[in-house]
Amino acid sequence: MSHSTLPRGGAEADDRAAKIPVASGDATGTGKTARRLGLRLRFRRDRVLLLMTLPAVLLILLFNYLPILGNIVAFQDYDPYISDNGIVSVLHSPWVGFENFQRIFQDPAFWNAVENTLVLFFLQLLLFFPVPVLLALLINSVVRPRVRAIAQAVLYLPHFFSWVLVIAVFQQLFGGAGVLSQLLRRHGYSGLDIMTDPSTFKFLVTAEGIWKDAGWGIIIFLAALASVSPDLYEAAAMDGAGRWRRIWHVTLPALRPVIALLLVLRVGDALTVGFEQILLQRDAVGPGAAEVLDTFVWWNGVRNQDFGYAAAAGLIKGVVSLGLVLAANKVAHLMGEQGVYKK
């Protein structure tokens, strides 16, 4: 036969290999040249996808990374009224070094905000984080698709409510003139106003967060459960495993990577416990119970016009949050999970 007997794919691979020039020199130089050629070929292959992602990358750089340069005001006595141009104001504001950080570490209000933030974080981690997992398991166990769809819609709905509406609903239920207080008075008991009680404020904030966002959080867990093969459940049932054993040995191991990833992200977000939600209720219970780091930064920066002081507090929060992400991700690696990024 006159035509070649080589497979088409092998012939094309040989042609591509023949077109790549062989670099002269030692093995290190050859490796660098090969890497450059590999990057060039991958760029040519994926240039359309790279162009599609370019607008998103520019937006992230503009709104997420470029503002990081503004942290320089944490080392200044920043005065925005020096000039109408913000850059000129930064350049001409007096430099104070670490004076703002010294003031922060000596401020009892800052440590009170840190304490409230950490208490809220641990409460939400213990009470709020498991709820989406339990709801996902409950919905996944529903056999009828129509009932499952209705349950998902009912649980998702509060996520689309604003915090103003959520707090208004809780006020009508647990406020001094709310339904619960009126019910107690009708039966001869004294009224109850949970919305203005500093001792129960942290539990109130956690309950509001559960009602608003727990339903939305089950989306990721339901997607993970959808990827579990039904054959695993059938094999477990044939081996004599009951319902709870199938959940323990099949369902939860399938959810473990997702749980580990979300836990790492939640730990990294530990110092952010809901700015708008707490700011709306801060005056009702007082700053002693409701002041967190986000409201502390807002109060000192926006209300008191102490921008350098507020920027220093925000910078401390960012650095600590980064450290928490790295530590939690290391723990995830020790547990055999991927975490946010691979080893």
Side-chain angles (χ1 to χ4, degrees):
M1 296 178 68
S2 60
H3 61 275
S4 174
T5 58
L6 284 174
R8 179 180 178 85
E12 290 180 354
D14 291 341
D15 292 341
R16 288 195 299 267
K19 293 179 180 179
I20 298 177
V22 179
S24 61
D26 56 2
T28 305
T30 304
K32 291 181 179 179
T33 304
R35 283 195 295 271
R36 285 198 297 268
L37 289 173
L39 289 173
R40 190 181 305 168
L41 290 174
R42 287 199 297 269
F43 179 79
R44 290 179 59 186
R45 180 192 62 190
D46 300 331
R47 60 182 180 275
V48 176
L49 296 177
L50 293 173
L51 289 174
M52 290 174 61
T53 59
L54 184 59
V57 172
L58 292 177
L59 287 175
I60 292 175
L61 291 175
L62 181 61
F63 293 102
N64 292 87
Y65 285 94
L66 189 60
I68 294 178
L69 300 176
N71 284 322
I72 193 176
V73 303
F75 304 92
Q76 296 179 318
D77 184 11
Y78 178 67
D79 185 2
Y81 305 108
I82 293 178
S83 173
D84 294 334
N85 190 324
I87 297 178
V88 175
S89 298
V90 171
L91 294 176
H92 289 83
S93 294
W95 187 267
V96 296
F98 292 96
E99 180 181 331
N100 290 322
F101 295 93
Q102 294 175 356
R103 290 173 53 200
I104 285 177
F105 291 132
Q106 296 172 0
D107 190 351
F110 172 76
W111 294 110
N112 177 64
V114 171
E115 180 184 353
N116 291 335
T117 303
L118 293 177
V119 170
L120 272 175
F121 163 68
F122 285 113
L123 276 178
Q124 293 180 2
L125 190 65
L126 294 175
L127 302 179
F128 174 74
F129 189 79
V131 173
V133 181
L134 298 177
L135 289 176
L137 295 175
L138 179 63
I139 292 178
N140 191 64
S141 64
V142 177
V143 178
R144 295 184 178 181
R146 185 176 181 84
V147 177
R148 183 185 302 180
I150 293 175
Q152 290 180 16
V154 172
L155 292 172
Y156 291 167
L157 186 61
H159 174 76
F160 300 99
F161 296 163
S162 67
W163 277 115
V164 175
L165 180 58
V166 171
I167 294 171
V169 170
F170 272 76
Q171 178 68 36
Q172 294 300 318
L173 292 175
F174 305 111
V179 175
L180 179 60
S181 181
Q182 294 181 13
L183 184 63
L184 291 174
R185 290 192 183 99
R186 289 175 185 175
H187 290 80
Y189 299 97
S190 59
L192 184 65
D193 190 1
I194 300 177
M195 301 298 293
T196 59
D197 188 355
S199 62
T200 61
F201 176 74
K202 297 176 179 62
F203 296 96
L204 173 67
V205 170
T206 304
E208 292 170 351
I210 292 175
W211 184 71
K212 185 178 187 297
D213 289 327
W216 183 259
I218 67 176
I219 293 178
I220 299 176
F221 296 108
L222 286 177
L225 289 174
S227 64
V228 180
S229 174
D231 296 339
L232 296 176
Y233 292 105
E234 295 176 2
M238 292 178 64
D239 290 339
R243 181 175 182 180
W244 294 108
R245 283 191 172 272
R246 291 197 297 270
I247 292 176
W248 182 260
H249 293 287
V250 179
T251 306
L252 290 180
L255 291 178
R256 198 175 77 168
V258 179
I259 293 175
L261 174 61
L262 294 181
L263 188 60
V264 170
L265 296 176
R266 185 67 191 92
V267 170
D269 207 27
L271 303 184
T272 303
V273 288
F275 168 73
E276 182 181 359
Q277 175 193 11
I278 295 177
L279 183 64
L280 290 170
Q281 303 175 89
R282 182 179 183 273
D283 293 338
V285 296
E291 191 79 286
V292 293
L293 285 175
D294 284 341
T295 57
F296 178 84
V297 171
W298 176 85
W299 190 265
N300 286 278
V302 178
R303 293 295 298 270
N304 294 340
Q305 302 286 298
D306 196 349
F307 296 102
Y309 186 73
L315 185 58
I316 293 173
K317 174 192 167 186
V319 172
V320 173
S321 298
L322 177 61
L324 290 174
V325 169
L326 297 177
N329 199 70
K330 182 64 175 179
V331 173
H333 289 167
L334 295 176
M335 296 173 59
E337 301 297 336
Q338 178 175 332
V340 178
Y341 55 86
K342 295 182 180 180
K343 294 181 181 178

